[in-house]
Amino acid sequence: MITFVPLDESHVSLMHSWLSAGEALRWYARQLTTEESIRQKYLITKLRTGTRCFIVQYDQEPIGYLQYYRISDYPRYCSLVGAGPHDYGMDLFIGRDDRIGRGVGTRIVAAALKELIFAQANAERCLVGPSPENQRAIRCFEKCGFRHVRTVVANDGEEEHIMAAEKPNQTLPPPS
Ligand SMILES: CC(C)(COP(=O)(O)OP(=O)(O)OC[C@H]1O[C@@H](n2cnc3c(N)ncnc32)[C@H](O)[C@@H]1OP(=O)(O)O)[C@@H](O)C(=O)NCCC(=O)NCCS
């Protein structure tokens, strides 16, 4: 069972260990960081902008991190990816390499769409932007209904393979 626990000070050391090695370092952090930088970035800067940050638990064991945000709260990125006022962004990583490639990521993304992002009353689409080389992430998102919409070069000079998932139509059938 997947659960999302709001990120707090007690998770900083765990986040640091996850972001210092393996696939999370390669594809998410991209460079080594410090606990103080993590504290500043995740507990202060992101919260101020409205990004929601979570530790992901699998059967009550912390295994990764997920964040989501209204893309229009980041105007430069919003115009870069061509997002609208009802588009949300999501980023995640599994922090333990022994849990990667076993279907857990697909379950996390599906749960986040249903329980977090599309639970927002104004949410219509969710966008993600993995590296075009990150074929595992791309496949994971495809399995959750995301489709490629464009490729952009982000401010850090890295290409992003922008993919979008639409909120499922929840219109009820007329009463019989
Ligand atoms: C991206 C991530 C969350 C996906 O979670 P996961 O549990 O590893 O993914 P899943 O096992 O659910 O699905 C992976 C799919 O990719 C496939 N895959 C794996 N490596 C692949 C490759 N090199 N090329 C193509 N497909 C690949 C798997 O076979 C599987 O598809 P299938 O079920 O159709 O066989 C996880 O790998 C991760 O955290 N990676 C490090 C950080 C990262 O990349 N974050 C995303 C940044 S946007």
Side-chain angles (χ1 to χ4, degrees):
M1 179 176 172
I2 306 289
T3 45
F4 301 100
V5 178
L7 187 77
D8 65 30
E9 173 65 35
S10 69
H11 302 121
V12 170
S13 161
L14 182 61
M15 285 283 283
H16 182 246
S17 68
W18 284 342
L19 290 168
S20 300
E23 297 294 297
L25 171 59
R26 178 181 180 197
W27 294 111
Y28 198 90
R30 298 209 179 114
Q31 55 187 356
L32 289 170
T33 186
T34 63
E35 287 196 11
E36 190 45 43
S37 297
I38 288 172
R39 192 172 284 114
Q40 178 68 39
K41 180 173 176 178
Y42 291 86
L43 295 180
I44 299 174
T45 311
K46 284 180 188 285
L47 287 187
R48 199 183 289 143
T49 326
T51 294
R52 307 284 173 87
C53 307
F54 301 90
I55 291 293
V56 181
Q57 296 191 153
Y58 183 76
D59 287 344
Q60 301 193 348
E61 177 195 8
I63 57 158
Y65 169 81
L66 183 140
Q67 65 183 29
Y68 78 91
Y69 49 93
R70 205 169 52 173
I71 299 178
S72 57
D73 288 337
Y74 296 86
R76 284 172 63 183
Y77 188 71
C78 188
S79 63
L80 179 73
V81 301
H86 305 296
D87 290 343
Y88 280 71
M90 173 173 62
D91 309 291
L92 80 155
F93 65 82
I94 293 174
R96 292 181 42 177
D97 280 2
D98 62 343
R99 296 304 185 94
I100 278 180
R102 297 165 155 213
V104 176
T106 302
R107 293 182 62 184
I108 295 170
V109 172
L113 287 177
K114 185 173 176 204
E115 295 169 26
L116 300 177
I117 294 163
F118 291 146
Q120 307 299 309
N122 65 349
E124 289 179 359
R125 276 198 320 171
C126 179
L127 302 190
V128 292
S131 160
E133 294 170 8
N134 192 351
Q135 290 297 319
R136 185 192 293 118
I138 289 170
R139 177 73 191 126
C140 170
F141 291 129
E142 281 174 353
K143 286 195 291 176
C144 296
F146 287 83
R147 295 293 173 258
H148 181 235
V149 288
R150 61 179 60 83
T151 300
V152 301
V153 179
N155 289 339
D156 59 6
E158 299 284 343
E159 279 196 336
E160 292 191 7
H161 182 86
I162 304 297
M163 306 174 76
E166 309 273 342
K167 184 174 187 172
N169 188 343
Q170 295 177 339
T171 309
L172 296 172
S176 52

